[in-house]
Amino acid sequence: MTTRRLTALSPEQAPGRAGELLTDIVERHGSAGEMVSTMAHSPALLDGYLSLSRAMKRVKIPRPLSEKLSLAVQEWIGCGTCREAHRAAGRAAGLSEVDIELALQGTSIDPREAALIGLAVRVLAEPGALSDEDVAEVRGHGWSDRVIAEVVGVVALNLLTGAFNLLAGIQPEGED
């Protein structure tokens, strides 16, 4: 059982710019969510997370495939909160349960997608071991340099959220 290590903050409790950011989110969406409210302990972290999150919504990677990348990375990181969020987002993006289970195993039925998912896991787990041949293999599956570069952004965003949730002790609902 993981205990909550960092507490969520209200906009009034959040220091400086974080309070402004939380106020804006709550006004637009009704709430900020546990992770965002907890990130508000650090104005720099919250601002950086929100900026990266917005930027990664503009990637060329199709949404269903982006969710597969996120599922594979979160399975490796071990963040149950993020894994469950990406399961739901994957379903909403049209992924089947088979697609989700394969992504959690770091692969896909589609060899082209499997190559990109495999790259994402390697970017997370062993970036120093990536070679010219690894990049050439992904290019050989028809992926552009833009998409290859954007994989790093998807991985970075998932590492940020997964690591933060694990450090803060934020768990999926229903787990104590």
Side-chain angles (χ1 to χ4, degrees), residues 13-105:
Q13 296 169 314
R17 174 109 172 101
E20 297 168 20
L21 292 168
L22 279 182
T23 297
D24 181 56
I25 292 167
V26 170
E27 286 173 357
R28 287 186 293 123
H29 302 287
S31 71
E34 285 296 303
M35 183 187 73
V36 169
S37 296
T38 306
M39 280 184 174
H41 284 280
S42 169
L45 175 63
L46 181 57
D47 196 20
Y49 162 73
L50 293 172
S51 294
L52 181 57
S53 183
R54 276 191 300 273
M56 296 315 299
K57 289 181 178 164
R58 296 187 302 270
V59 298
K60 287 298 233 183
I61 301 168
R63 189 76 195 156
L65 180 53
S66 180
E67 290 304 332
K68 288 180 181 184
L69 299 175
S70 295
L71 284 161
V73 169
Q74 290 300 345
E75 180 69 12
W76 200 92
I77 293 169
C79 178
T81 300
C82 296
R83 193 171 41 243
E84 293 311 308
H86 287 290
R87 277 182 189 269
R91 287 183 194 108
L95 296 182
S96 69
E97 291 306 312
V98 170
D99 292 331
I100 291 169
E101 290 308 313
L102 287 172
L104 290 169
Q105 295 170 34

Side-chain angles (χ1 to χ4, degrees), residues 60-62 65 110-116 119 133-149 151:
K60 287 298 233 183
I61 301 168
L65 180 53
D110 180 330
R112 189 167 183 256
E113 289 185 354
L116 206 63
L119 176 67
E133 293 78 20
D134 295 322
V135 174
E137 179 186 339
V138 175
R139 279 190 189 123
H141 283 280
W143 295 112
S144 68
D145 286 1
R146 177 177 177 172
V147 168
I148 292 168
V151 166

